[in-house]
Amino acid sequence: MRTLLAQPRMRLYFLGNTLSTIGDYALWLASGVWVKELTGSTAQAGLCMLSLILGTLLSPVTGYVVDRTRRKPLLLATNAVTGLLVLALTQVHGPGDVWLIYAVMFVNGLAVSLTDSAMTALLPTMVEPEQLGAANGLSQALTQGQRLITPALGIGLLSAFGGGAVAAIDAASFAAGMLCWAFVKVDDPRPEPSGVSPWQETTAGFRFLLRTPSLRQLSTTLFVGLFVAGMFETLGFAVATVGLHHTPAWMGVLVTVMGVSGILGGLLIGSLIKPLGPGRLTALGLALCGAGALAFAAPVTAVVLVGALCMGFALPCIIVGSMTAVQLATPKELLGRVSGADIFLTTTGQALGMAAGSALITAVFYRDIAYAAAGLLAVSALYLVTRREQRLAPPTAAEPTAEHAAQHAAEPAAQPVTLDAPLPADGRV
């Protein structure tokens, strides 16, 4: 990690990513409260998160855009356009303007899928393969840290100055991120035309995931892990109120504990991924998440807090392990689409988990749901750790296949080949 932060462009990478998402998290958390205040409707408030998810679910299309354009200019343009559109929220003054909030949340989801795919594709050109795990881990640590402060930022600004102030902060965060990215030096050539249909190119990411055994296994277990994480969005309230007899506000304690252990997990991942490899790191995360789910079933505050520590530490392991595996195994001309397909699967899994948790909690006792979740996660971890394809291998990055670009887009190769050339001594690509 010290090696990463010694590089000026990596400091700009982390700073730009952090600044541009602080405003996003604040707005996402404040938007539902804002709509509730304007309309008095809980159902309409819930549509904010649905609008965000719908935008994110277009990630296969945005992945195609990422692979067909230069990625750094795309990041700059996305930050600029989204930041300007967010300012439209300063014109929201009553219930009749709520549609603007939904529209901006949808655009935010679309922008997130674009920037996530672009940064996933650019990162392997900025660091050596053995540094990818540490870079992804630090990004996760920063993300978890933001989640500790953005609820107070978003809700505090909304209460004190109104939703327009939250929108202004989000727009400023996009401008700050764009400024940082403007000075990041990357190898970002213009992609060559493939000569195949847009449909073939858009679905190439899914085909690559399905045809690559190690990534197919990871994507399946990641879907399960995020499904369970989505369920605990609702289950946590039952744990706090029914199991431990606390007020609903005690959920904030659980979220804080998970955030702190998530930061620790992100910082330690760089040293964990080397001996374990991406696949077994993901399996470790699933196992810890299962242990946390089991602890949540205990009616003892101390045990539940230990479970929250396990789950907070587990989430970066799951995300970083699977993301690093994708970056190492995917040829660079496919990284945007494969990342887009991966985002689609994880977002779908989390959204389905949230819906399942909300539906089940009214009919099934929360402890039974926690037991089922723990069992599902244990089976997923065991499945992953016993797969031959997930055995430890030296970190390598996939090179472009030898096939012509058009043929590759239509029938992407399922196996990586040799190591990329090392970075020059000055750290520039």
Side-chain angles (χ1 to χ4, degrees), residues 204-216 325 328-331 334 338 389 398-399 401 403 408 411-417:
F206 287 101
R207 295 201 305 273
F208 187 84
L209 281 179
L210 291 173
R211 293 182 179 185
T212 308
S214 61
L215 298 186
R216 183 174 65 244
L328 290 173
T330 307
L334 264 177
V338 174
E389 293 82 4
E399 289 183 346
T401 61
E403 300 172 288
H408 174 78
E411 297 293 336
Q415 297 297 330
V417 283

Side-chain angles (χ1 to χ4, degrees), residues 52-273:
L52 181 72
I53 289 172
L54 288 176
T56 309
L57 287 177
L58 291 177
S59 57
V61 178
T62 58
Y64 163 73
V65 174
V66 166
D67 282 343
R68 294 273 57 83
T69 59
R70 292 180 62 207
R71 290 154 179 170
K72 178 180 169 178
L74 178 64
L75 279 170
L76 295 173
T78 301
N79 276 273
V81 172
T82 311
L84 289 173
L85 289 175
V86 164
L87 288 176
L89 294 182
T90 58
Q91 303 306 307
V92 174
H93 303 295
D97 302 323
V98 164
W99 67 271
L100 266 175
I101 300 177
Y102 298 147
V104 169
M105 292 296 285
F106 176 83
V107 171
N108 254 276
L110 194 63
V112 165
S113 62
L114 264 172
T115 55
D116 282 0
S117 292
M119 288 193 294
T120 298
L122 281 174
L123 188 59
T125 72
M126 299 173 66
V127 300
E128 296 186 76
E130 60 269 21
Q131 292 181 311
L132 277 172
N136 289 324
L138 182 53
S139 292
Q140 276 298 304
L142 293 170
T143 297
Q144 297 300 324
Q146 292 171 56
R147 288 175 177 167
L148 292 178
I149 63 172
T150 48
L153 176 65
I155 304 301
L157 283 173
L158 179 67
S159 301
F161 304 105
V166 186
I169 289 294
D170 194 18
S173 75
F174 278 113
M178 183 174 65
L179 182 64
C180 290
W181 268 105
F183 292 97
V184 174
K185 298 181 183 296
V186 291
D187 181 22
D188 188 26
R190 186 178 301 277
E192 295 292 332
S194 66
V196 301
S197 71
W199 172 254
Q200 286 179 302
E201 288 208 89
T202 302
T203 57
F206 287 101
R207 295 201 305 273
F208 187 84
L209 281 179
L210 291 173
R211 293 182 179 185
T212 308
S214 61
L215 298 186
R216 183 174 65 244
Q217 294 159 7
L218 280 166
S219 296
T220 302
T221 53
L222 185 64
F223 181 91
V224 173
L226 271 295
F227 177 85
V228 172
M231 289 179 62
F232 274 86
E233 295 284 341
T234 302
L235 195 63
F237 286 101
V239 171
T241 57
V242 178
L244 302 179
H245 307 292
H246 294 302
T247 64
W250 197 80
M251 262 294 291
V253 176
L254 285 180
V255 172
T256 301
V257 170
M258 291 176 67
V260 170
S261 62
I263 294 172
L264 180 63
L267 294 175
L268 292 178
I269 276 173
S271 58
L272 289 175
I273 199 169

Side-chain angles (χ1 to χ4, degrees), residues 120 209 215 218 321-330 335 338-339 342:
T120 298
L209 281 179
L215 298 186
L218 280 166
S322 59
M323 182 185 298
T324 304
V326 165
Q327 290 169 323
L328 290 173
T330 307
L335 256 175
V338 174
S339 174
D342 201 49

